[in-house]
mmCIF file of all heavy atoms in Angstrom:
data_model
loop_
_atom_site.group_PDB
_atom_site.id
_atom_site.type_symbol
_atom_site.label_atom_id
_atom_site.label_comp_id
_atom_site.label_asym_id
_atom_site.label_seq_id
_atom_site.Cartn_x
_atom_site.Cartn_y
_atom_site.Cartn_z
ATOM 1 N N SER A 109 -10.353 -6.911 0.048
ATOM 2 C CA SER A 109 -9.318 -7.269 -0.922
ATOM 3 C C SER A 109 -8.270 -6.173 -1.076
ATOM 4 O O SER A 109 -7.138 -6.446 -1.477
ATOM 5 C CB SER A 109 -9.958 -7.570 -2.281
ATOM 6 O OG SER A 109 -10.656 -6.432 -2.762
ATOM 7 N N ILE A 110 -8.624 -4.936 -0.764
ATOM 8 C CA ILE A 110 -7.668 -3.832 -0.776
ATOM 9 C C ILE A 110 -6.953 -3.754 0.562
ATOM 10 O O ILE A 110 -5.718 -3.643 0.624
ATOM 11 C CB ILE A 110 -8.385 -2.499 -1.079
ATOM 12 C CG1 ILE A 110 -8.913 -2.472 -2.519
ATOM 13 C CG2 ILE A 110 -7.435 -1.319 -0.838
ATOM 14 C CD1 ILE A 110 -7.847 -2.440 -3.590
ATOM 15 N N ARG A 113 -3.939 -5.948 1.302
ATOM 16 C CA ARG A 113 -2.716 -5.704 0.529
ATOM 17 C C ARG A 113 -1.914 -4.522 1.058
ATOM 18 O O ARG A 113 -0.794 -4.267 0.589
ATOM 19 C CB ARG A 113 -3.072 -5.458 -0.937
ATOM 20 C CG ARG A 113 -3.660 -6.682 -1.628
ATOM 21 C CD ARG A 113 -4.283 -6.312 -2.969
ATOM 22 N NE ARG A 113 -3.356 -5.568 -3.791
ATOM 23 C CZ ARG A 113 -3.702 -4.662 -4.696
ATOM 24 N NH1 ARG A 113 -4.992 -4.383 -4.871
ATOM 25 N NH2 ARG A 113 -2.811 -4.029 -5.403
ATOM 26 N N LEU A 114 -2.479 -3.772 1.997
ATOM 27 C CA LEU A 114 -1.821 -2.580 2.495
ATOM 28 C C LEU A 114 -0.889 -2.884 3.657
ATOM 29 O O LEU A 114 -1.138 -3.780 4.465
ATOM 30 C CB LEU A 114 -2.867 -1.560 2.946
ATOM 31 C CG LEU A 114 -3.684 -0.906 1.833
ATOM 32 C CD1 LEU A 114 -4.862 -0.141 2.423
ATOM 33 C CD2 LEU A 114 -2.815 0.028 0.994
ATOM 34 N N TYR A 331 -3.795 -0.460 -18.578
ATOM 35 C CA TYR A 331 -3.298 -0.334 -17.208
ATOM 36 C C TYR A 331 -4.135 -1.159 -16.237
ATOM 37 O O TYR A 331 -5.221 -0.760 -15.828
ATOM 38 C CB TYR A 331 -3.269 1.135 -16.795
ATOM 39 C CG TYR A 331 -2.446 1.991 -17.730
ATOM 40 C CD1 TYR A 331 -2.980 3.135 -18.318
ATOM 41 C CD2 TYR A 331 -1.138 1.642 -18.054
ATOM 42 C CE1 TYR A 331 -2.230 3.910 -19.183
ATOM 43 C CE2 TYR A 331 -0.379 2.401 -18.929
ATOM 44 C CZ TYR A 331 -0.933 3.542 -19.492
ATOM 45 O OH TYR A 331 -0.184 4.298 -20.360
ATOM 46 N N GLU A 332 -3.586 -2.303 -15.840
ATOM 47 C CA GLU A 332 -4.354 -3.206 -14.980
ATOM 48 C C GLU A 332 -4.591 -2.615 -13.594
ATOM 49 O O GLU A 332 -5.549 -2.989 -12.910
ATOM 50 C CB GLU A 332 -3.658 -4.554 -14.871
ATOM 51 C CG GLU A 332 -2.317 -4.545 -14.174
ATOM 52 C CD GLU A 332 -1.737 -5.945 -14.016
ATOM 53 O OE1 GLU A 332 -2.237 -6.886 -14.658
ATOM 54 O OE2 GLU A 332 -0.769 -6.086 -13.232
ATOM 55 N N SER A 333 -3.740 -1.679 -13.162
ATOM 56 C CA SER A 333 -3.938 -1.108 -11.828
ATOM 57 C C SER A 333 -5.190 -0.241 -11.755
ATOM 58 O O SER A 333 -5.698 0.010 -10.658
ATOM 59 C CB SER A 333 -2.712 -0.300 -11.389
ATOM 60 O OG SER A 333 -2.430 0.750 -12.284
ATOM 61 N N TYR A 334 -5.714 0.231 -12.895
ATOM 62 C CA TYR A 334 -6.998 0.931 -12.878
ATOM 63 C C TYR A 334 -8.120 -0.012 -12.432
ATOM 64 O O TYR A 334 -9.127 0.437 -11.880
ATOM 65 C CB TYR A 334 -7.346 1.460 -14.268
ATOM 66 C CG TYR A 334 -6.617 2.713 -14.701
ATOM 67 C CD1 TYR A 334 -6.837 3.247 -15.956
ATOM 68 C CD2 TYR A 334 -5.722 3.361 -13.866
ATOM 69 C CE1 TYR A 334 -6.189 4.399 -16.382
ATOM 70 C CE2 TYR A 334 -5.059 4.501 -14.274
ATOM 71 C CZ TYR A 334 -5.293 5.024 -15.537
ATOM 72 O OH TYR A 334 -4.649 6.159 -15.943
ATOM 73 N N VAL A 335 -7.931 -1.296 -12.678
ATOM 74 C CA VAL A 335 -8.923 -2.301 -12.302
ATOM 75 C C VAL A 335 -8.600 -2.884 -10.929
ATOM 76 O O VAL A 335 -9.440 -2.904 -10.024
ATOM 77 C CB VAL A 335 -8.998 -3.418 -13.364
ATOM 78 C CG1 VAL A 335 -9.975 -4.510 -12.929
ATOM 79 C CG2 VAL A 335 -9.390 -2.837 -14.713
ATOM 80 N N ASN A 336 -7.347 -3.347 -10.759
ATOM 81 C CA ASN A 336 -6.962 -3.989 -9.505
ATOM 82 C C ASN A 336 -7.013 -3.027 -8.315
ATOM 83 O O ASN A 336 -7.261 -3.441 -7.183
ATOM 84 C CB ASN A 336 -5.559 -4.572 -9.618
ATOM 85 C CG ASN A 336 -5.469 -5.672 -10.644
ATOM 86 O OD1 ASN A 336 -6.482 -6.230 -11.063
ATOM 87 N ND2 ASN A 336 -4.257 -5.990 -11.088
ATOM 88 N N ASN A 337 -6.745 -1.748 -8.589
ATOM 89 C CA ASN A 337 -6.713 -0.744 -7.527
ATOM 90 C C ASN A 337 -7.827 0.290 -7.677
ATOM 91 O O ASN A 337 -7.686 1.428 -7.241
ATOM 92 C CB ASN A 337 -5.345 -0.049 -7.503
ATOM 93 C CG ASN A 337 -4.217 -1.003 -7.169
ATOM 94 O OD1 ASN A 337 -4.395 -1.978 -6.449
ATOM 95 N ND2 ASN A 337 -3.036 -0.740 -7.716
ATOM 96 N N GLU A 338 -8.934 -0.129 -8.287
ATOM 97 C CA GLU A 338 -10.038 0.807 -8.501
ATOM 98 C C GLU A 338 -10.532 1.410 -7.187
ATOM 99 O O GLU A 338 -10.928 2.577 -7.140
ATOM 100 C CB GLU A 338 -11.204 0.112 -9.207
ATOM 101 C CG GLU A 338 -12.396 1.028 -9.426
ATOM 102 C CD GLU A 338 -13.536 0.377 -10.191
ATOM 103 O OE1 GLU A 338 -13.378 -0.790 -10.621
ATOM 104 O OE2 GLU A 338 -14.588 1.031 -10.365
ATOM 105 N N PHE A 339 -10.484 0.630 -6.118
ATOM 106 C CA PHE A 339 -11.008 1.091 -4.827
ATOM 107 C C PHE A 339 -9.881 1.322 -3.821
ATOM 108 O O PHE A 339 -10.056 1.149 -2.619
ATOM 109 C CB PHE A 339 -12.021 0.081 -4.295
ATOM 110 C CG PHE A 339 -13.164 -0.158 -5.241
ATOM 111 C CD1 PHE A 339 -13.222 -1.317 -6.013
ATOM 112 C CD2 PHE A 339 -14.157 0.788 -5.407
ATOM 113 C CE1 PHE A 339 -14.264 -1.534 -6.906
ATOM 114 C CE2 PHE A 339 -15.209 0.586 -6.296
ATOM 115 C CZ PHE A 339 -15.255 -0.583 -7.039
ATOM 116 N N ALA A 340 -8.721 1.740 -4.333
ATOM 117 C CA ALA A 340 -7.557 1.980 -3.482
ATOM 118 C C ALA A 340 -7.812 3.137 -2.516
ATOM 119 O O ALA A 340 -8.648 4.009 -2.779
ATOM 120 C CB ALA A 340 -6.341 2.289 -4.354
ATOM 121 N N PRO A 341 -7.099 3.169 -1.397
ATOM 122 C CA PRO A 341 -7.268 4.282 -0.459
ATOM 123 C C PRO A 341 -6.725 5.584 -1.022
ATOM 124 O O PRO A 341 -5.755 5.591 -1.782
ATOM 125 C CB PRO A 341 -6.441 3.830 0.755
ATOM 126 C CG PRO A 341 -5.408 2.925 0.186
ATOM 127 C CD PRO A 341 -6.092 2.204 -0.942
ATOM 128 N N LEU A 343 -6.859 7.515 -3.355
ATOM 129 C CA LEU A 343 -7.044 7.813 -4.772
ATOM 130 C C LEU A 343 -7.748 6.652 -5.473
ATOM 131 O O LEU A 343 -7.171 5.989 -6.337
ATOM 132 C CB LEU A 343 -5.705 8.115 -5.460
ATOM 133 C CG LEU A 343 -5.830 8.666 -6.886
ATOM 134 C CD1 LEU A 343 -6.391 10.076 -6.887
ATOM 135 C CD2 LEU A 343 -4.475 8.631 -7.599
ATOM 136 N N PRO A 344 -9.002 6.378 -5.116
ATOM 137 C CA PRO A 344 -9.761 5.409 -5.912
ATOM 138 C C PRO A 344 -10.012 5.971 -7.301
ATOM 139 O O PRO A 344 -9.869 7.184 -7.539
ATOM 140 C CB PRO A 344 -11.060 5.255 -5.116
ATOM 141 C CG PRO A 344 -11.216 6.554 -4.399
ATOM 142 C CD PRO A 344 -9.821 7.004 -4.062
ATOM 143 N N LEU A 345 -10.375 5.120 -8.215
ATOM 144 C CA LEU A 345 -10.607 5.574 -9.583
ATOM 145 C C LEU A 345 -11.671 6.674 -9.634
ATOM 146 O O LEU A 345 -11.559 7.613 -10.442
ATOM 147 C CB LEU A 345 -11.032 4.394 -10.466
ATOM 148 C CG LEU A 345 -11.173 4.718 -11.955
ATOM 149 C CD1 LEU A 345 -9.816 5.027 -12.569
ATOM 150 C CD2 LEU A 345 -11.847 3.571 -12.693
ATOM 151 N N SER A 346 -12.673 6.601 -8.779
ATOM 152 C CA SER A 346 -13.723 7.620 -8.785
ATOM 153 C C SER A 346 -13.169 9.007 -8.489
ATOM 154 O O SER A 346 -13.709 10.019 -8.969
ATOM 155 C CB SER A 346 -14.809 7.265 -7.763
ATOM 156 O OG SER A 346 -14.264 7.178 -6.457
ATOM 157 N N LEU A 348 -10.079 10.004 -9.407
ATOM 158 C CA LEU A 348 -9.473 10.411 -10.676
ATOM 159 C C LEU A 348 -10.535 10.929 -11.640
ATOM 160 O O LEU A 348 -10.308 11.916 -12.346
ATOM 161 C CB LEU A 348 -8.720 9.234 -11.303
ATOM 162 C CG LEU A 348 -7.357 8.878 -10.720
ATOM 163 C CD1 LEU A 348 -6.814 7.621 -11.385
ATOM 164 C CD2 LEU A 348 -6.377 10.027 -10.892
ATOM 165 N N ALA A 390 3.634 3.868 -5.704
ATOM 166 C CA ALA A 390 2.994 3.127 -4.620
ATOM 167 C C ALA A 390 2.338 1.876 -5.187
ATOM 168 O O ALA A 390 1.694 1.926 -6.239
ATOM 169 C CB ALA A 390 1.963 3.996 -3.913
ATOM 170 N N GLU A 391 2.461 0.768 -4.480
ATOM 171 C CA GLU A 391 1.956 -0.511 -4.992
ATOM 172 C C GLU A 391 0.437 -0.534 -5.100
ATOM 173 O O GLU A 391 -0.114 -1.055 -6.079
ATOM 174 C CB GLU A 391 2.414 -1.646 -4.078
ATOM 175 C CG GLU A 391 1.972 -3.025 -4.554
ATOM 176 C CD GLU A 391 2.337 -4.125 -3.580
ATOM 177 O OE1 GLU A 391 2.304 -3.894 -2.351
ATOM 178 O OE2 GLU A 391 2.660 -5.232 -4.043
ATOM 179 N N VAL A 392 -0.269 0.046 -4.128
ATOM 180 C CA VAL A 392 -1.733 -0.013 -4.117
ATOM 181 C C VAL A 392 -2.272 1.342 -4.572
ATOM 182 O O VAL A 392 -2.785 2.143 -3.782
ATOM 183 C CB VAL A 392 -2.258 -0.407 -2.727
ATOM 184 C CG1 VAL A 392 -3.761 -0.714 -2.794
ATOM 185 C CG2 VAL A 392 -1.511 -1.619 -2.184
ATOM 186 N N ASP A 393 -2.117 1.615 -5.851
ATOM 187 C CA ASP A 393 -2.406 2.920 -6.439
ATOM 188 C C ASP A 393 -2.858 2.697 -7.879
ATOM 189 O O ASP A 393 -2.192 1.953 -8.618
ATOM 190 C CB ASP A 393 -1.133 3.766 -6.401
ATOM 191 C CG ASP A 393 -1.305 5.188 -6.916
ATOM 192 O OD1 ASP A 393 -2.352 5.491 -7.522
ATOM 193 O OD2 ASP A 393 -0.387 6.001 -6.720
ATOM 194 N N PRO A 394 -3.945 3.297 -8.316
ATOM 195 C CA PRO A 394 -4.357 3.129 -9.719
ATOM 196 C C PRO A 394 -3.287 3.570 -10.716
ATOM 197 O O PRO A 394 -3.277 3.104 -11.858
ATOM 198 C CB PRO A 394 -5.600 4.023 -9.831
ATOM 199 C CG PRO A 394 -6.123 4.151 -8.461
ATOM 200 C CD PRO A 394 -4.921 4.107 -7.557
ATOM 201 N N LEU A 395 -2.367 4.439 -10.291
ATOM 202 C CA LEU A 395 -1.385 5.001 -11.213
ATOM 203 C C LEU A 395 -0.110 4.173 -11.348
ATOM 204 O O LEU A 395 0.767 4.518 -12.137
ATOM 205 C CB LEU A 395 -1.011 6.424 -10.769
ATOM 206 C CG LEU A 395 -2.159 7.419 -10.666
ATOM 207 C CD1 LEU A 395 -1.646 8.766 -10.165
ATOM 208 C CD2 LEU A 395 -2.865 7.590 -12.004
ATOM 209 N N VAL A 396 0.006 3.074 -10.599
ATOM 210 C CA VAL A 396 1.282 2.363 -10.569
ATOM 211 C C VAL A 396 1.613 1.731 -11.918
ATOM 212 O O VAL A 396 2.787 1.673 -12.313
ATOM 213 C CB VAL A 396 1.297 1.317 -9.431
ATOM 214 C CG1 VAL A 396 0.280 0.212 -9.652
ATOM 215 C CG2 VAL A 396 2.698 0.743 -9.251
ATOM 216 N N SER A 397 0.623 1.270 -12.665
ATOM 217 C CA SER A 397 0.916 0.630 -13.955
ATOM 218 C C SER A 397 1.489 1.628 -14.950
ATOM 219 O O SER A 397 2.467 1.326 -15.655
ATOM 220 C CB SER A 397 -0.346 -0.014 -14.533
ATOM 221 O OG SER A 397 -0.767 -1.117 -13.772
ATOM 222 N N GLN A 421 1.986 0.347 0.023
ATOM 223 C CA GLN A 421 1.696 1.773 0.198
ATOM 224 C C GLN A 421 0.624 2.239 -0.786
ATOM 225 O O GLN A 421 0.519 1.721 -1.894
ATOM 226 C CB GLN A 421 2.962 2.601 0.007
ATOM 227 C CG GLN A 421 4.104 2.225 0.942
ATOM 228 C CD GLN A 421 3.749 2.408 2.407
ATOM 229 O OE1 GLN A 421 3.108 3.393 2.794
ATOM 230 N NE2 GLN A 421 4.145 1.450 3.235
#
Side-chain angles (χ1 to χ4, degrees):
S109 60
I110 292 292
R113 294 167 52 210
L114 290 168
Y331 304 126
E332 66 176 13
S333 59
Y334 283 178
V335 177
N336 296 343
N337 296 330
E338 179 177 357
F339 302 104
L343 190 70
L345 186 68
S346 60
L348 283 175
E391 182 185 35
V392 190
D393 183 348
L395 302 178
V396 65
S397 292
Q421 302 299 319

